[in-house]
């Protein structure tokens, strides 16, 4: 049977490498104008995850051979149980928390750094700051948020954290090197002289679709586009996201009913149809949600395996 | 039975010579190399000649795949543009200086090897059993994940390299993963030596499981001579600094936080 050019691509779960927890739901102390799930203090589409759900999921994740855990929102630190959730997760594997760094407290960081030092796994802090200065960041994230986030970075550094700084590109892609270079200088001035930087593409859904524009009807990943494509670059081939409303295919498509794959991880172990504009952005840029240490690039060629005698 | 494993030669032929000699002194019966012969250092043909002359059994790394197939880059997967700039200088140099015969040899290396010695089944790969250029860091590989990776190989011990940092762990299911380290550059610990791995195997005993002893061996070599040659060949000064200081100056962006904290940069 031939594949029609309009057939959407499908991606199955090759293995559950990353388990995401939508731990703060869509609740955030900020209301960024590019947020792909429109998080704000008033968005209750998704609520906080309970400690019990996280605990059960961690236990269940062992059987899936999960490599690492991500905690996101909204702003994860709004969930009063987050610190203990992260401490628990570190007993199972490496954990990453995605924060805007504006609400951090010293006692939380002391507890988390202590847990990391006592265990064997890394705890990563991924801090969202959308540019190397207030003029770039604040129109997106809110007035004063650049300074507040940099204070958060300073606090993290004081506790020995080496943050990953992520920025959503609101400049021309050709300007990336200039922005990154400037960002390194600014971070160094704030005591953060060993940052890991990650530039993220804009996802034209949620608030961003209103701020700029959304995807067109033809912005879809077709089955033919997946021919010869390394599906490992797509988060849906190796991740699932636990929310208070079931398990979703990824942390991006929470507003899409078809992205809810079931109530449990077992139910969510099925293929996903890439019938959404945002899938094109994942396809185009690849590995946009993963930490730099967990990425692997498409491998060309390579010899077959052998048996030594 | 005693076996020696190393990887990540990065053209450091002086360290390779020292490691092979050290393994001989320790009555090693067979030597294995888990790939990435070129990069970073000078005169890439020299390590390949040494490997072939010493009858080292080799697995292909991502770098070997790139050089062997004359690809555009090393497929190292760096995220920092600065790393990619240095990597490209090094890659272009290595590709140019690798003879056609050695390129062919690199191209034909197997991506993995399965072997059984003293009743112990082993799987040899470069990055991970499922992907040549997958980074398996000690602090980002959960027990459950290691078990999932090892399971399909049917092996009791999986050996890899690729990250540049040696480590080992026995999983709750009793399987062993060993990152054998690299001979090409120091382990980001402020020391100039590099590392290889000895594995001592003993027959299964009832109820005791396979006998597998892993020892990481430091290798001293003439790093001053290597750094002089790197300068003479016009290789990046940042690479020379790493050889002379023992601290990584590049490829830092891919390090998880625990591993990054141990280094200076």
């Amino acid at each position: 049977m031939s594949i029609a050019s309009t057939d959407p691509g499908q991606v199955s779960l090759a293995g559950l490498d990353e388990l995401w927890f939508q731990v703060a739901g869509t609740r955030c102390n900020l209301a960024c104008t590019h947020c792909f799930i429109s998080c704000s203090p008033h968005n209750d589409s998704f609520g906080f995850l309970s400690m019990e759900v996280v605990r059960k999921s961690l236990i269940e994740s062992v059987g899936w051979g999960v490599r690492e855990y991500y905690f996101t929102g909204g702003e994860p630190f709004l969930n009063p149980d987050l610190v203990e959730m992260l401490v628990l997760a570190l007993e199972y594997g490496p954990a990453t928390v995605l924060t805007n760094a504006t609400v951090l407290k010293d006692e939380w960081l002391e507890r988390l750094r202590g847990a990391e030092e006592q265990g064997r796994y890394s705890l990563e802090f991924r801090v969202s700051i959308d540019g190397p200065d207030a003029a770039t960041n604040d129109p997106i994230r809110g007035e004063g948020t650049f300074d507040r986030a940099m204070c958060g970075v300073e606090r993290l550094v004081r506790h020995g954290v080496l943050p990953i700084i992520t920025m959503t590109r609101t400049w021309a892609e050709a300007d990336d090197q200039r922005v990154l270079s400037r960002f390194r200088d600014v971070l160094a001035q704030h005591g953060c002289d060993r940052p890991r930087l990650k530039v993220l593409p804009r996802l034209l859904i949620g608030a961003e679709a209103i701020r700029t524009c959304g995807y067109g009807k033809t912005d879809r990943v077709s089955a033919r586009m997946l021919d010869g494509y390394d599906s490992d670059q797509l988060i849906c081939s190796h991740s699932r996201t636990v929310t208070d409303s079931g398990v979703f295919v990824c942390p991006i498509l929470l507003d899409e009913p078809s992205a809810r794959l079931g109530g449990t991880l077992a139910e969510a172990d099925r293929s996903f149809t890439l019938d959404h504009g945002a899938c094109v952005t994942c396809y185009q840029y690849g590995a946009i949600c993963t930490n730099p240490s967990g990425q692997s690039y498409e491998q060309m060629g390579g010899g077959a395996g052998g048996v030594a005698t | 039975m005693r076996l020696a494993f190393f990887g990540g030669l990065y053209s450091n032929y002086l360290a390779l010579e020292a490691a092979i000699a050290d393994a001989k002194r320790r009555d090693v019966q067979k030597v294995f190399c888990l790939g990435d012969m070129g990069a970073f250092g000078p005169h890439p043909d020299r390590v390949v000649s040494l490997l072939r002359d010493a009858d080292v059994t080799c697995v292909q790394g991502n770098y070997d795949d790139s050089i062997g197939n004359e690809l555009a880059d090393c497929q190292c997967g760096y995220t920092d543009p600065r790393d990619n700039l240095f990597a490209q200088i090094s890659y272009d140099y290595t590709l140019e200086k690798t003879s056609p015969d050695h390129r062919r040899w690199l191209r034909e290396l197997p991506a993995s090897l399965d072997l059984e010695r003293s009743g112990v089944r082993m799987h040899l790969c470069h990055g991970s059993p499922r992907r040549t250029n997958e980074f398996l860091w000690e602090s980002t590989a959960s027990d459950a994940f290691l078990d999932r990776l090892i399971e399909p190989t049917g092996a009791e011990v999986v050996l890899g390299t690729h990250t540049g940092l040696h480590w080992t762990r026995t999983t709750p299911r009793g399987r062993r993963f060993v990152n054998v380290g690299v001979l090409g550059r120091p382990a980001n610990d402020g020391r100039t030596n590099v590392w290889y791995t000895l594995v001592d195997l003993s027959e299964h005993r009832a109820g005791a499981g396979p006998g597998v002893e892993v020892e990481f061996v430091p290798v001293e070599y003439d790093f001053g001579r290597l750094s002089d040659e790197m300068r003479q060949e016009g290789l990046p000064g940042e690479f020379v600094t790493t050889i002379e200081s023992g601290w990584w100056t590049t490829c830092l962006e891919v390090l998880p936080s625990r591993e990054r904290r141990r280094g200076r940069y």
Side-chain angles (χ1 to χ4, degrees):
Chain A
M1 190 170 66
S2 64
I3 299 170
S5 60
T6 52
D7 285 352
Q10 293 216 335
V11 173
S12 59
L13 184 65
L16 192 55
D17 287 0
E18 304 101 21
L19 186 58
W20 288 72
F21 291 107
Q22 193 70 26
V23 72
T26 43
R27 295 175 193 172
C28 190
N29 58 313
L30 305 183
C32 303
T33 57
H34 67 359
C35 185
F36 52 85
I37 48 173
S38 314
C39 294
S40 77
H42 315 292
N43 187 343
D44 287 330
S45 302
F46 291 83
F48 291 169
L49 282 183
S50 70
M51 185 69 179
E52 204 43 42
V53 167
V54 171
R55 187 193 311 277
K56 278 184 182 170
S57 299
L58 288 169
I59 292 168
E60 191 182 356
S61 76
V62 173
W64 290 83
V66 168
R67 181 181 65 195
E68 58 181 329
Y69 306 96
Y70 288 84
F71 290 77
T72 189
E75 169 49 48
F77 281 96
L78 295 184
N79 186 322
D81 292 327
L82 178 76
V83 172
E84 292 314 308
M85 290 170 176
L86 289 170
V87 169
L88 182 65
L90 285 171
E91 294 179 16
Y92 289 83
T96 298
V97 58
L98 284 66
T99 177
N100 60 36
T102 63
V103 296
L104 300 174
K105 291 183 181 175
D106 285 323
E107 56 263 38
W108 296 343
L109 300 181
E110 272 171 33
R111 171 101 174 100
L112 290 171
R113 284 287 291 121
E116 186 190 17
E117 289 298 319
Q118 284 169 20
R120 65 156 69 116
Y121 299 119
S122 276
L123 172 63
E124 304 286 5
F125 285 77
R126 245 163 70 172
V127 179
S128 306
I129 307 175
D130 289 325
D133 47 49
T136 316
N137 173 87
D138 287 8
I140 302 290
R141 305 186 70 80
E143 192 177 340
T145 54
F146 180 79
D147 289 341
R148 290 172 66 195
M150 293 311 288
C151 286
V153 168
E154 289 175 3
R155 193 183 296 272
L156 287 166
V157 171
R158 280 201 299 276
H159 286 271
V161 173
L162 299 174
I164 298 168
I165 309 292
T166 61
M167 65 211 77
T168 301
R169 182 187 295 113
T170 53
W171 48 86
E173 203 163 333
D175 285 340
D176 273 0
Q177 294 318 311
R178 183 185 58 76
V179 172
L180 287 169
S181 175
R182 169 86 180 123
F183 221 143
R184 284 180 203 283
D185 290 343
V186 170
L187 287 162
Q189 288 163 16
H190 288 266
C192 182
D193 57 2
R194 295 196 280 173
R196 288 162 288 166
L197 304 180
K198 188 173 168 82
V199 182
L200 305 172
R202 287 179 299 119
L203 293 156
L204 312 182
I205 53 177
E208 177 66 14
I210 298 164
R211 187 181 78 93
T212 55
C213 64
Y215 293 98
K217 282 182 181 173
T218 56
D219 288 327
R220 295 292 182 271
V221 178
S222 69
R224 282 192 178 170
M225 287 165 69
L226 292 177
D227 278 352
Y229 181 78
D230 176 15
S231 292
D232 281 1
Q233 299 303 314
L234 302 172
I235 189 174
C236 48
S237 79
H238 47 80
S239 295
R240 289 294 183 259
T241 301
V242 177
T243 77
D244 74 332
S245 306
V247 180
F248 280 66
V249 69
C250 71
I252 294 170
L253 296 173
L254 297 188
D255 288 333
E256 298 290 345
S258 65
R260 184 188 183 278
L261 297 182
T264 64
L265 285 177
E267 289 172 6
D269 181 15
R270 59 189 176 89
S271 63
F272 179 67
T273 303
L274 304 177
D275 201 12
H276 308 277
C279 301
V280 174
T281 302
C282 280
Y283 177 93
Q284 187 179 358
Y285 290 95
I288 62 175
C289 297
T290 317
N291 291 344
S293 60
Q295 287 181 211
S296 63
Y297 277 59
E298 182 170 8
Q299 180 74 20
M300 307 293 285
V307 178
T309 53
Chain B
M1 171 172 274
R2 173 169 278 188
L3 307 174
F5 296 88
F6 43 68
L9 308 183
Y10 312 151
S11 302
N12 190 342
Y13 69 97
L14 295 165
L16 176 60
E17 275 178 337
I20 291 172
D22 189 81
K24 275 187 185 164
R25 280 195 298 275
R26 293 170 188 261
D27 296 326
V28 164
Q29 280 138 308
K30 183 69 189 164
V31 181
F32 299 88
C33 178
L34 304 186
D36 277 4
M37 317 312 181
F40 205 79
H43 312 303
D45 268 341
R46 295 184 185 177
V47 285
V48 178
S49 295
L50 281 168
L51 291 168
R52 297 175 79 171
D53 292 347
D55 194 26
V56 176
T57 300
C58 297
V59 164
Q60 187 182 65
N62 51 284
Y63 218 94
D64 313 319
D65 179 45
S66 290
I67 296 287
N69 290 292
E70 300 175 18
L71 303 182
D73 63 45
C74 65
Q75 310 176 84
C76 294
Y78 301 131
T79 51
D80 183 350
R82 179 174 164 271
D83 287 341
N84 281 320
L85 175 68
F86 290 134
Q88 198 61 43
I89 293 169
S90 172
Y91 181 75
D92 293 343
Y93 168 85
T94 306
L95 182 60
E96 184 197 335
K97 301 274 182 176
T98 302
S99 73
D101 178 42
H102 284 177
R103 288 184 200 180
R104 191 161 46 247
W105 184 82
L106 291 167
R107 183 168 65 240
E108 290 168 3
L109 291 175
S112 63
L113 278 174
D114 293 292
L115 63 148
E116 186 168 333
R117 296 286 185 278
S118 300
V120 179
R121 295 187 302 277
M122 288 172 283
H123 179 81
L124 280 53
C125 58
H126 178 72
S128 82
R130 67 179 184 177
R131 198 167 184 116
T132 294
N133 65 351
E134 181 167 27
F135 293 111
L136 291 183
W137 305 103
E138 184 174 16
S139 82
T140 57
S142 72
D143 281 346
F145 180 61
L146 287 179
D147 268 327
R148 172 156 67 89
L149 285 182
I150 297 173
E151 170 87 36
T153 69
E156 287 139 332
V157 183
V158 167
L159 302 107
T161 174
H162 189 53
T163 66
L165 299 176
H166 55 279
W167 61 280
T168 185
R169 194 188 304 161
T170 301
T171 71
R173 292 191 203 168
R175 298 183 180 109
R176 188 80 176 246
F177 177 78
V178 187
N179 186 314
V180 303
V182 297
L183 291 175
R185 65 172 179 169
N188 199 22
D189 56 4
R191 297 164 58 178
T192 53
N193 66 275
V194 293
W195 297 83
Y196 81 102
T197 301
L198 288 177
V199 176
D200 283 296
L201 303 171
S202 53
E203 297 287 345
H204 285 252
R205 285 173 300 176
V212 180
E213 298 287 333
V214 174
E215 181 187 354
F216 297 117
V217 182
V219 179
E220 303 289 349
Y221 71 101
D222 189 350
F223 68 88
R225 183 175 156 193
L226 187 83
S227 56
D228 285 346
E229 292 182 9
M230 288 168 74
R231 283 195 190 90
Q232 286 160 15
E233 292 297 296
L235 292 164
E238 284 76 2
F239 291 180
V240 178
T241 301
T242 295
I243 293 297
E244 292 180 333
S245 70
W247 298 114
W248 292 4
T249 55
T250 56
C251 315
L252 294 160
E253 195 110 334
V254 293
L255 280 173
S257 60
R258 278 180 85 98
E259 283 81 354
R260 182 80 185 261
R261 262 187 221 110
R262 293 187 200 125
R264 172 176 288 175
Y265 300 109

